[in-house]
Amino acid sequence: MTAASGIGPGLVARPWALEAEAVAAALGTDTRSGLDAGEAAARLARLGPNELTERGHKPPWRLFVEQFTNTMIVVLVIAAAVTAVIGDLKDTAVILAIVVLNGVIGFVQEYRADRAMTALKQMTSPTARVVRDGAVAVRPASEVVPGDLLVLEAGDVVAADVRLLESVALRINEAALTGESEPASKTVDPLPDVSDALLADRRNMAFKGTAVTYGRGTGVVAATGMATALGRIADLMQEHAAGLTPLQRRLSTLGKGLAAAALVVCAIVFVVGIMRGEPVELMFLTAVSLAVAAIPEALPAVVTVSLALGAQRLAQRRALIRKLPAVETLGSVDVVCTDKTGTLTQNRMLVERVWTPAGEHRVEGSGYEPAGAVVGDGDPAVDPYLERLARAAAACNDATLHAPSRPGGPWTITGDPTEAALLAFAGKLGVTRSDLEARNPRIAEVAFDAGRRRMSTVHRDGDRILVAVKGALEALAPLVDPREGDTLSAARTVADGYAEEGYRVLAVADRTIDAVPGEIEDAEEGLSLLGLVAMADPPRPGSAPAVAAARQAGITPVMITGDHALTARAIARRLDIIPAADGRVLTGADLEAMDDEAFDRVVGDVAVYARTNPEQKLRIVKAWKTRGAVVAMTGDGVNDAPALKRADIGVAMGITGTEVSKEAADMVLADDDFATIVAAVEEGRRIYDNIRRFVRYALTGNSGEIWVMFLAPFAGLPIPLLPVHILWINLVTDGVPGLALGVEPAEPDTMRRRPRPMSESIFARGLWQHALWVGLLMGGVSLGIQALAIEVGWHWQTMVFSTLAFLQLGHALAVRSERESFFRLGWRTNRPLAYAVVATVLVQLAIIYLPPLQSVFETQALSPVELVVMFAASTLAFIGVEIEKSVIRWRARRRVSAGG
């Protein structure tokens, strides 16, 4: 077997079979390193055929079944079975409907999230140009195998990981994979150690899923499918499935606690009743009714409705929720790990500063629109270099600007973003491509490449020849006329300053000659330096205010990017992510040098990471989560997808984001506006506050019911309520008013509070104490009414039934805020609650006075005196909670006074 014959399916019997050096080079090595052709061929063969298959997907039936394993749902199913046993099929139907609704919603959300891997599969070029049988053929990208020779041209999406064998001014946009906004220039030179290089440093490779923006090239396929850099990201997404959200954890804990409490209370009530001589059947039904009452079965519905309404409001603000619990999770977030390119920045290059030997200028405008002022030292119109610089930058340029396709739309480009930025700058000075092509037609060029680090074009200029050159200042410096030594020295100082500020700096020069020389490169001698242009991917207009608002809300912004450290630091300073005077920036290389223990010690002090790869982004998110933080990760590229999946909540960009990032995320920003995240945080906090309101309300009411039934025997009173009364109070007061509490507006200080700790119980901040004492108050008032009514011969059971129901309605009005008085909030801010309370009062009165309902609920019509006494007693819970809130406000004022 020859070396070539053992290479694999892509190289067998190919007329263009590679020599040993080429095969070895395809893997980033050469024959001088001791790797012979056979070993190189074996390494290629081990990469295997296209392996991008569905792995790790759960079958739909399993996803559906898992929705019913939550503790609260299990308890509700048991409660439904119990109500069916006692014959209350209406209550059984309601509970089961809630269970099924939650199961279906959860299944749909998880099924959509599981499609992230499918989207990753589809992210490939539909076709690829492959050399087969000595000729270039177009084949489906799925047929590409290791060893194939691919031909790449501008506009192609690379179909596999390719080791380049030829590169002619080849530049590839790898932003979706590496996070760098600037297209990477490619070379064919072997690297000394490819295995340890970052993706951004592997200049002799083209990667699957990236786009060719300029030039052309050929290369041998080194990896396909899951063996590619994109495939490695797929593996990371499979390995790091998202855990439970804070809301799910809190509800699970609540469900377990309520289940245990319900069993204990029911057992005690049943045993005490039997010991007092009550009928066994009555006590069994009473105990079962209390078990149902102890569980707020409307809680899952209230949570779902609250989250759904929140998602609806966020959709109106251009934030699309893919998983309902994500809304609440945002309210717990205290760290936002955000990508730079396309998230905090505009993902487009913009010339912001220009220096010429006559002065320095600032360039205004946005995007690629060729409109904006050029202001600076003196009048730009009298700068003898400025227009020449603009003409040279536009002439030495292959990009094209396209006007908006719709009114108010953005300008778009064809070609390299850096060249498009130069073209937009030239347009701001009145220099257009059409004028240049008519006045100075191009007759020759020397394309940009990584070795020369410059590009030159030759144009007719009347009877003479114009030479325009742009590139790195170091590349142009040896070609500048020696008489411009002082200008060159000044330019170096300015260029160093621009680089420190994170700008990409290009020098522009020109020369006029009489004739085109035999060698085009000879035309580059004796250039006149026209100046420097400093460009950057600028921040979005709303990013800085959004970062400030996040800080005010106690949220730490952390920027993670694949871009250069200087660029990352400059953007972070402009957005106040790090201080202007200082601020530590860690690079991917720094992270590689740290073990987990060392990194965990410093992660809280670092707000900017540069030159990172997908694994390192995951490591950063994991380190923050280890510290107890609730982490949100924003991003738009394929490289962000694993971290989006691993974070507590992933936020993808809807416009610039890849399908992979959108499918991996919990929320998608339709407008790509970082500021929308702040609105989502506020909405998440409001929703969690409303869920706490309902839990406070429901547990207090259930506590009141339990205290009434539990204490009555010890007080020598008969069983106060029938099972149907308990179920009715529990079903009506937990349901309609509870749902109305779910739409309560946000309180004024919502975004001035620090995020909740991850470990905070849903009973924290006085909730369980409130439920205990107000429940005791309700129980005491109800038993007092019972004792009074028995004493004077009133309809005591109907009065206890109605008093307890109305006590809970008054409590619903009072718990709209944990601090503010109801009278300050008023009715108008929550009309649904007002309607719910009025409707419930009317229905309760109908139960008391309408004969058909009297027979069902075993009630009796109350006299006016009984009704007045009952209503007066029903206000005591409302009054008690209002007094509690006034004490809280008084204590807060004292703390402020003591601190001031």
Side-chain angles (χ1 to χ4, degrees):
M1 178 185 293
T2 66
S5 65
I7 289 175
L11 293 181
V12 174
R14 301 277 201 242
W16 47 270
L18 303 175
E19 296 295 331
E21 289 81 6
V23 176
L27 295 162
T29 58
D30 58 50
T31 53
R32 291 170 293 180
S33 66
L35 177 67
D36 63 25
E39 291 171 340
R43 285 178 61 185
L44 265 177
R46 283 198 299 270
L47 295 177
N50 194 314
E51 300 166 346
L52 197 51
T53 58
E54 289 189 273
R55 303 191 305 173
H57 287 276
K58 296 178 182 178
W61 66 265
R62 184 175 175 184
L63 283 176
F64 186 74
V65 170
E66 286 180 353
Q67 305 308 311
F68 300 94
T69 59
N70 178 274
T71 304
M72 177 67 76
I73 298 300
V74 170
V75 172
L76 288 178
V77 170
I78 295 173
V82 170
T83 55
V85 169
I86 66 174
D88 194 339
L89 297 182
K90 182 183 294 185
D91 205 20
T92 302
V94 171
I95 295 174
L96 289 179
I98 293 171
V99 169
V100 173
L101 176 64
N102 278 271
V104 170
I105 291 175
F107 166 74
V108 171
Q109 297 300 325
E110 287 200 25
Y111 179 76
R112 292 181 61 195
D114 204 49
R115 291 174 54 204
M117 292 304 301
T118 303
L120 187 59
K121 259 182 54 174
Q122 296 171 345
M123 189 168 177
T124 183
S125 176
T127 59
R129 281 186 288 275
V130 186
V131 178
R132 296 280 172 88
D133 299 325
V136 177
V138 177
R139 292 285 187 270
S142 58
E143 296 182 6
V144 173
V145 294
D148 272 336
L149 189 67
L150 257 59
V151 178
L152 304 175
E153 295 180 2
D156 287 350
V157 175
V158 183
D161 283 4
V162 176
R163 170 59 168 93
L164 295 171
L165 303 178
E166 179 187 22
S167 174
V168 180
L170 183 62
R171 276 179 276 178
I172 298 179
N173 185 349
E174 298 177 343
L177 197 61
T178 67
E180 286 204 48
S181 55
E182 181 184 343
S185 296
K186 296 298 180 177
T187 181
V188 297
D189 298 330
L191 297 180
D193 188 356
V194 171
S195 62
D196 293 331
L198 293 171
L199 291 179
D201 293 330
R202 298 179 67 171
R203 297 181 300 276
N204 58 5
M205 295 286 293
F207 297 101
K208 177 182 176 68
T210 59
V212 179
T213 62
Y214 190 84
R216 59 183 176 83
T218 57
V220 63
V221 175
T224 59
M226 299 303 290
T228 63
L230 195 66
R232 189 169 74 250
I233 293 175
D235 274 333
L236 292 173
M237 289 176 65
Q238 291 174 342
E239 291 167 6
H240 298 281
L244 293 176
T245 70
L247 177 64
Q248 291 169 327
R249 283 189 285 269
R250 293 182 182 105
L251 290 182
S252 179
T253 301
L254 176 61
K256 293 174 183 176
L258 291 176
L263 291 176
V264 172
V265 171
C266 292
I268 293 175
V269 169
F270 180 77
V271 171
V272 170
I274 296 298
M275 292 175 62
R276 292 190 64 216
E278 299 287 352
V280 174
E281 180 181 355
L282 174 62
M283 292 314 303
F284 173 75
L285 291 176
T286 302
V288 167
S289 300
L290 275 177
V292 175
I295 301 169
E297 60 266 22
L299 178 59
V302 169
V303 170
T304 301
V305 170
S306 297
L307 295 177
L309 291 175
Q312 208 170 45
R313 278 187 288 270
L314 283 172
Q316 295 170 356
R317 302 191 62 173
R318 311 291 289 165
L320 310 178
I321 302 300
R322 298 189 62 254
K323 303 173 186 177
L324 286 183
V327 181
E328 183 274 337
T329 308
L330 271 170
S332 302
V333 163
D334 47 19
V335 175
V336 176
C337 295
T338 173
D339 185 40
K340 176 186 71 68
T341 305
T343 307
L344 290 169
T345 66
Q346 300 177 26
N347 197 22
R348 53 173 63 95
M349 299 301 290
L350 179 68
V351 175
E352 295 187 338
R353 309 272 285 277
V354 177
W355 174 88
T356 73
E360 190 172 9
H361 307 280
R362 187 175 69 255
V363 182
E364 300 177 345
S366 63
Y368 294 114
E369 182 179 4
V374 179
V375 297
D377 298 341
D379 184 358
V382 300
D383 186 327
Y385 296 93
L386 196 56
E387 185 180 355
R388 283 175 60 192
L389 185 151
R391 296 187 69 83
C396 189
N397 199 307
D398 290 321
T400 304
L401 301 181
H402 304 287
S405 57
R406 65 182 189 280
W411 282 67
T412 56
I413 68 167
T414 300
D416 185 81
T418 297
E419 293 192 337
L422 292 174
L423 207 56
F425 158 68
K428 294 171 185 178
L429 291 172
V431 178
T432 64
R433 282 289 295 273
S434 56
D435 289 344
L436 278 174
E437 290 171 355
R439 176 178 170 183
N440 304 113
R442 185 186 299 186
I443 57 176
E445 67 180 271
V446 182
F448 177 91
D449 65 47
R452 284 167 39 86
R453 300 183 64 194
R454 65 182 183 271
M455 173 182 178
S456 302
T457 55
V458 181
H459 307 260
R460 294 198 182 279
D461 187 15
D463 295 333
R464 307 199 71 194
I465 300 298
L466 172 66
V467 181
V469 184
K470 74 173 189 296
L473 180 60
E474 298 85 352
L476 268 64
L479 307 176
V480 172
D481 191 321
R483 292 172 295 181
E484 298 187 9
D486 292 342
T487 299
L488 193 57
S489 177
R492 286 194 174 100
T493 302
V494 173
D496 290 343
Y498 284 162
E500 282 293 323
E501 295 180 45
Y503 287 109
R504 185 188 181 201
V505 183
L506 286 181
V508 182
D510 70 1
R511 179 191 180 194
T512 302
I513 55 180
D514 295 327
V516 179
E519 295 291 334
I520 301 298
E521 288 83 350
D522 293 341
E524 298 174 333
E525 299 291 338
L527 296 174
S528 175
L529 183 63
L530 301 176
L532 306 172
V533 291
M535 61 188 73
D537 179 10
R540 293 178 177 274
S543 291
V547 169
R551 287 195 182 281
Q552 185 183 35
I555 300 169
T556 302
V558 177
M559 187 171 77
I560 307 174
T561 179
D563 221 331
H564 299 281
L566 285 176
T567 304
R569 178 181 283 110
I571 293 295
R573 285 175 175 171
R574 292 173 67 171
L575 296 176
D576 199 30
I577 292 176
I578 59 175
D582 198 3
R584 186 174 183 183
V585 177
L586 284 185
T587 65
D590 296 331
L591 287 176
E592 287 294 330
M594 290 183 178
D595 58 24
D596 289 340
E597 184 178 349
F599 180 51
D600 288 343
R601 286 197 300 268
V602 303
V603 66
D605 300 322
V606 181
V608 179
Y609 298 86
R611 305 290 280 170
T612 56
N613 58 34
E615 292 92 338
Q616 290 165 342
K617 290 188 177 187
L618 276 172
R619 186 181 178 192
I620 295 165
V621 172
K622 182 179 178 182
W624 273 107
K625 293 186 70 172
T626 301
R627 293 168 63 95
V630 180
V631 182
M633 171 71 191
T634 71
D636 59 355
V638 175
N639 63 325
D640 297 322
L644 291 174
K645 192 91 168 178
R646 181 66 174 85
D648 292 290
I649 178 168
V651 184
M653 303 296 112
I655 298 174
T656 59
T658 61
E659 287 304 312
V660 178
S661 66
K662 294 175 189 175
E663 288 293 336
D666 303 284
M667 184 173 79
V668 178
L669 304 183
D671 56 2
D672 285 14
D673 191 347
F674 185 79
T676 305
I677 297 174
V678 178
V681 168
E682 181 178 15
E683 186 66 24
R685 292 185 179 186
R686 186 194 68 83
I687 286 172
Y688 184 71
D689 287 347
N690 286 349
I691 293 172
R692 269 179 56 90
R693 287 184 182 98
F694 175 78
V695 171
R696 176 188 298 262
Y697 165 68
L699 292 188
T700 303
N702 294 351
S703 171
E705 297 165 33
I706 291 172
W707 285 123
V708 167
M709 300 298 293
F710 182 73
L711 295 177
F714 296 100
L717 297 172
I719 298 298
L721 300 172
L722 297 175
V724 68
H725 297 158
I726 298 172
L727 292 175
W728 173 256
I729 293 173
N730 184 64
L731 196 63
V732 173
T733 58
D734 277 5
V736 181
L739 289 173
L741 283 173
V743 298
E744 188 69 29
E747 297 195 51
D749 67 339
T750 298
M751 290 302 286
R752 294 194 296 271
R753 304 194 307 247
R754 292 198 59 79
R756 300 182 310 278
M758 173 79 88
S759 59
E760 179 182 283
S761 166
I762 200 167
F763 297 105
R765 291 180 277 150
L767 190 149
W768 72 266
Q769 295 96 326
H770 175 94
L772 181 63
W773 85 261
V774 179
L776 275 170
L777 176 62
M778 290 181 179
V781 170
S782 299
L783 293 178
I785 287 293
Q786 182 181 11
L788 174 64
I790 292 175
E791 179 69 23
V792 298
W794 290 341
H795 302 104
W796 63 267
Q797 194 164 57
T798 301
M799 290 186 70
V800 172
F801 173 34
S802 300
T803 298
L804 188 56
F806 290 151
L807 279 167
Q808 294 193 25
L809 293 180
H811 183 243
L813 298 176
V815 296
R816 290 178 55 197
S817 173
E818 296 183 18
R819 292 169 54 97
E820 296 296 332
S821 169
F822 167 81
F823 300 102
R824 184 172 181 178
L825 296 174
W827 287 97
R828 295 184 178 181
T829 54
N830 192 341
R831 291 181 183 275
L833 179 60
Y835 299 148
V837 169
V838 171
T840 305
V841 169
L842 294 176
V843 172
Q844 185 69 27
L845 292 176
I847 289 174
I848 296 173
Y849 291 104
L850 294 182
L853 295 178
Q854 287 177 338
S855 62
V856 173
F857 289 93
E858 300 185 34
T859 59
Q860 295 171 305
L862 300 179
S863 68
V865 174
E866 291 172 324
L867 195 63
V868 169
V869 172
M870 182 267 296
F871 272 124
S874 300
T875 63
L876 293 178
F878 175 85
I879 294 171
V881 176
E882 285 296 317
I883 293 173
E884 177 191 42
K885 291 191 291 185
S886 68
V887 172
I888 292 174
R889 293 194 299 272
W890 175 74
R891 287 178 176 174
R893 287 193 297 268
R894 287 195 62 184
R895 284 195 299 268
V896 172
S897 299

